[in-house]
Structures are given as C-alpha cells and as structure tokens.
C-alpha cells in the first residue's frame, strides 16, 4: 500500500491528511472511521494520477511485479500442473524469482 501524509501547522492547530489511491479498501467505512478517530482526513488521489503521486509504483513496483508474473507463468507452464491439479511453487522457487526480477 502506498501512503503519503501531509501535516500542516497553522495558528496553533494542525491538520493531518492521508493521501491514498482508489483501492476499494482504502476508503471503506472502517478505514474512514479509524482515520477520523485519530484526526486524520482521508484524501483520495485522482484516478489517472498514480504516476504523479506514486512514481515508485510506476517505475519500480510495476516492472518488478511484471517480471515475477512472467517467471510464475513459465513455472506454471513447465511444472505447475500435476495431472490437472495446480501445485504451489516452493519457497526456493519464489526466492529465485525475486532475485531474478
């Protein structure tokens, strides 16, 4: 989850804002109530502005996830099915994918 907080102090009081993307759980009633209980205002990043507000998601996380997914697909094609049943990759397989990505 990507989070960006801004705290502004003016005239002896402070306001806290939490900026999050439009992932459904970010603006659930539970999240909104919890943030309100600690005095934090939730601000949603406009759709289509991820590259501006979350450049790491675009420049690092997305390519990393794409490489992991590619290796997982290769594993699924070669080893992931055993007589029609889908198996689970080993921890070592996943560690290898992360290193290779």
């Amino acid at each position: 989850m990507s989070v960006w907080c801004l705290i502004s102090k003016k005239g002896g009081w402070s306001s806290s804002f939490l900026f999050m993307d439009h992932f459904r759980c970010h603006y659930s009633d539970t999240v909104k109530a919890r943030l309100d209980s600690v005095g934090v205002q939730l601000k949603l990043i406009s759709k289509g502005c991820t590259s501006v507000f979350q450049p790491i998601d675009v420049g690092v996380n997305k390519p990393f996830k794409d490489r992991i997914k590619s290796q997982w697909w290769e594993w699924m094609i070669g080893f992931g099915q055993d007589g029609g049943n889908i198996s689970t990759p080993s921890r070592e397989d996943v560690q290898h994918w992360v290193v290779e990505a």
Side-chain angles (χ1 to χ4, degrees):
M1 173 175 80
S2 297
V3 175
W4 186 35
C5 287
L6 172 67
I7 299 174
S8 171
K9 291 189 177 189
K10 280 188 171 181
W13 62 274
S14 66
S15 297
S16 298
F17 301 92
L18 180 62
F19 293 87
M20 292 196 281
D21 60 23
H22 280 261
F23 186 54
R24 188 176 334 162
C25 72
H26 291 168
Y27 53 93
S28 69
D29 290 337
T30 305
V31 170
K32 286 192 248 180
R34 179 66 179 132
L35 291 174
D36 189 48
S37 75
V38 294
V40 175
Q41 296 180 38
L42 175 62
K43 301 292 184 183
L44 296 177
I45 296 170
S46 299
K47 291 181 180 179
C49 292
T50 299
S51 62
V52 175
F53 287 98
Q54 298 174 311
I56 296 297
D57 275 359
V58 176
V60 176
N61 294 345
K62 172 84 168 81
F64 176 73
K65 289 177 185 178
D66 288 347
R67 290 181 185 123
I68 295 285
K69 188 184 290 185
S70 174
Q71 292 180 75
W72 177 80
W73 273 112
E74 288 179 25
W75 178 85
M76 282 294 290
I77 291 168
F79 305 102
Q81 294 196 16
D82 180 22
N85 297 320
I86 297 175
S87 33
T88 303
S90 69
R91 182 174 292 240
E92 290 77 21
D93 287 330
V94 175
Q95 289 171 343
H96 178 74
W97 301 342
V98 169
V99 169
E100 290 299 311

